[in-house]
Amino acid sequence: QVQLVESGGGLVQAGGSLRLSCAASGRTFSSFYMGWFRQAPGKEREFVAAVTYGTYYADSVKGRFTISRDYAKNTVYLQMNNLKPEDTAVYYCAAGRDYTSPPREVRTYDYWGQGTQVTVSS
């Protein structure tokens, strides 16, 4: 079992930055690959970024967002720069066990956090 707790969300103006954190506890953090997803009202949950053996990004955030992980702190981060109103959503951290699974798909993740709200005003 893995517990994931996100933090760092909030309200920011367009062009601003936020850093989300996801603290993991429970089973060995290093054995999981990690991802960030987001869900806006009335929309499906969508992939944002993942870190497995490499890093992956959605086209909509590439060049603006950076995913990283700190094994010593059992934490994964999402640095979000140049935020846009369309980035407004609840952001979820997720952990997956099977490194052969495609990291961009919701179905491949085994554990999820409760989410943190990010609101970008224009």
Side-chain angles (χ1 to χ4, degrees):
Q1 189 73 14
V2 173
Q3 292 79 42
L4 304 172
V5 179
E6 301 99 333
S7 61
L11 173 64
V12 64
Q13 289 188 332
S17 298
L18 284 174
R19 188 177 79 157
L20 305 184
S21 299
C22 173
S25 61
R27 297 182 62 182
T28 306
F29 176 66
S30 62
S31 66
F32 292 85
Y33 61 90
M34 304 297 295
W36 286 96
F37 289 76
R38 65 187 182 187
Q39 188 166 18
K43 294 188 177 182
E44 293 186 353
R45 192 168 296 189
E46 66 174 7
F47 170 76
V48 176
V51 54
T52 62
Y53 297 117
T55 55
Y56 301 83
Y57 296 95
D59 288 342
S60 59
V61 307
K62 198 173 296 183
R64 299 188 297 123
F65 291 11
T66 303
I67 188 171
S68 61
R69 65 190 299 173
D70 186 329
Y71 289 94
K73 295 183 178 179
N74 282 3
T75 300
V76 63
Y77 303 97
L78 185 68
Q79 177 67 43
M80 305 186 295
N81 298 328
N82 190 22
L83 283 160
K84 304 176 180 180
E86 52 264 42
D87 295 319
T88 295
V90 177
Y91 282 71
Y92 297 90
C93 172
R97 292 171 292 188
D98 184 0
Y99 275 74
T100 66
S101 298
R104 299 174 184 269
E105 298 185 19
V106 171
R107 63 176 178 85
T108 70
Y109 289 81
D110 302 289
Y111 303 99
W112 292 84
Q114 83 289 350
T116 185
Q117 176 70 47
V118 171
T119 303
V120 184
S121 63
S122 57

